[in-house]
Amino acid sequence: MTAAIEHISYFGEPAVKVTTEKLEGIVVPGWGSNLISLTWRPTGTALLRSPASAEAYHARTTLHGIPVLFPPSRIEGGAFTFRGREYRFPVDPARGYHIHGVLMRTAWKLSAAETSDDGTAWVETTVVSEETPAVYEALPHRFTVRHGFRFAADSVELRFTLESRDEAAMPWGLGYHTTFVLPLGGPEGDLSKCTLRLRADKTWELNDRLLPTGALLDNPLRDALAAGLPLDRVEFDDCFQASPDAPVEATLEDRGAGLSIRYEADQTFTQWVLYNGKGKPDRGFFCPEPLTWVPNAPNVDAPAALTGLQALEPGATAEAVTRLTIAAL
């Protein structure tokens, strides 16, 4: 089957719907370039948690689709210093830190939506920093971000490209708050039949505000995660370091729904946050979040090789790629 593209309205927002042999996805550029919906067509199974309305989306942006976190997770006090320069981000007054970056609620511009003879489709959105006040105020550098989606028969690749047009190095980090429906069959599914496989030898010690102390600890769930951890009784709001000697990937399996989701990331991603609404695992979602840096990375007293803090040098380009591949069990 040749991929098809349709320009639609999604709760009043211009969106792009892509249909391939086995998948249907919807990208909403104005909602942070969010892949807001992904469906396994053979059984009509919703894979990503999608909102019931625009109001529901804006009330809990992070828990719908795949929000782009740039930079990811928390920044203590919303501030840090990098190479002698101070950066300030908006702070949640109730929490005392910034959370989830400046692109998640930014309106991106659709720059491409096309199909190819090989049966794939490409959708791309763009943000120019100096044309976007909320971005430029926090990261006062001239840069362009491109976010591309390559839809194939049974997979979606997300390609994040960061291009410097500045004369100074810029700190950067990226993450995806990927929110899967779990169980994949919805409320009538069986969470006891759902497992997660992930290679993570270490976990970051977090304080009571979920900020890393700088200490890396042995992961007590290492062996269980490597074998396939049942998800019916586990509670997560934790950050793990991806094992450096293994592929950066997580695999969700739902035997009740008869589906698996393989979540691959390139070596730019060094951390995984796992979240299911800690203390309330009956909410019907599960978030495996690949991150290039640990929460609060610029303020963590640990080497950049461990925290994932990176610099985009003047005129340079950085790229980070993830891929979801769905298969029937």
Side-chain angles (χ1 to χ4, degrees):
M1 172 184 171
T2 301
I5 285 178
E6 182 182 356
H7 294 270
I8 66 171
S9 175
Y10 188 85
F11 294 122
E13 281 289 326
V16 180
K17 182 169 75 172
V18 180
T19 305
T20 69
E21 181 182 352
K22 296 181 178 179
L23 295 176
E24 179 185 284
I26 298 175
V27 176
V28 185
W31 285 359
S33 187
N34 195 327
L35 178 57
I36 199 71
S37 172
L38 188 65
T39 302
W40 179 251
R41 294 183 63 226
T43 55
T45 302
L47 307 176
L48 293 173
R49 186 174 187 263
S50 300
S53 65
E55 292 75 17
Y57 170 76
H58 291 297
R60 292 301 303 272
T61 305
T62 54
L63 290 179
H64 296 102
I66 307 182
V68 179
L69 313 182
F70 180 82
S73 200
R74 301 164 180 84
I75 298 175
E76 172 68 11
F80 62 86
T81 300
F82 178 80
R83 296 191 182 180
R85 185 172 186 173
E86 186 171 317
Y87 295 83
R88 291 194 172 275
F89 292 76
V91 173
D92 182 332
R95 297 170 171 173
Y97 52 67
H98 172 79
I99 188 162
H100 293 332
V102 293
L103 291 183
M104 184 175 65
R105 294 181 176 86
T106 293
W108 298 53
K109 294 181 180 179
L110 180 66
S111 50
E114 56 197 28
T115 59
S116 300
D117 292 339
D118 62 1
T120 65
W122 174 255
V123 177
E124 184 182 82
T125 59
T126 305
V127 166
V128 176
S129 64
E130 61 267 38
E131 297 176 359
T132 316
V135 174
Y136 196 70
E137 288 171 9
L139 288 165
H141 294 269
R142 288 175 288 114
F143 61 92
T144 300
V145 183
R146 305 185 191 281
H147 197 216
F149 304 83
R150 176 70 66 187
F151 291 84
D154 60 357
S155 67
V156 185
E157 178 185 280
L158 280 65
R159 185 172 296 269
F160 183 96
T161 306
L162 183 62
E163 303 169 354
S164 168
R165 294 177 284 99
D166 208 80
E167 298 174 355
M170 181 183 79
W172 74 279
L174 171 69
Y176 288 109
H177 203 293
T178 316
T179 309
F180 291 113
V181 175
L182 205 71
L184 292 175
E188 62 275 12
D190 187 348
L191 196 59
S192 69
K193 295 181 179 179
C194 300
T195 60
L196 173 71
R197 291 201 312 274
L198 175 70
R199 277 288 307 277
D201 298 335
K202 300 289 184 179
T203 183
W204 288 90
E205 180 183 62
L206 305 178
N207 64 20
D208 58 358
R209 301 174 64 231
L210 300 176
L211 297 166
T213 65
L216 266 175
L217 310 176
D218 289 336
N219 177 12
L221 296 175
R222 182 192 62 183
D223 294 341
L225 280 168
L229 178 69
L231 293 176
D232 54 333
R233 293 185 179 89
V234 68
E235 299 176 357
F236 279 121
D237 197 348
D238 302 275
C239 185
F240 301 87
Q241 188 175 69
S243 298
D245 61 345
V248 183
E249 63 180 50
T251 301
L252 275 174
E253 290 189 355
D254 185 335
R255 297 189 308 280
L259 289 174
S260 74
I261 303 173
R262 184 183 180 192
Y263 199 168
E264 302 170 86
D266 67 22
Q267 295 295 323
T268 309
F269 294 88
T270 59
Q271 323 289 331
W272 285 98
V273 165
L274 301 181
Y275 175 66
N276 65 348
K278 188 172 185 178
K280 298 179 180 178
D282 59 343
R283 285 185 172 182
F285 66 84
F286 186 77
C287 302
E289 306 171 34
L291 275 59
T292 66
W293 82 18
V294 70
N296 201 33
N299 295 317
V300 174
D301 185 15
L306 295 179
T307 65
L309 175 61
Q310 298 180 68
L312 182 70
E313 299 296 339
T317 297
E319 193 169 72
V321 180
T322 61
R323 183 182 296 105
L324 300 174
T325 303
I326 297 86
L329 294 174

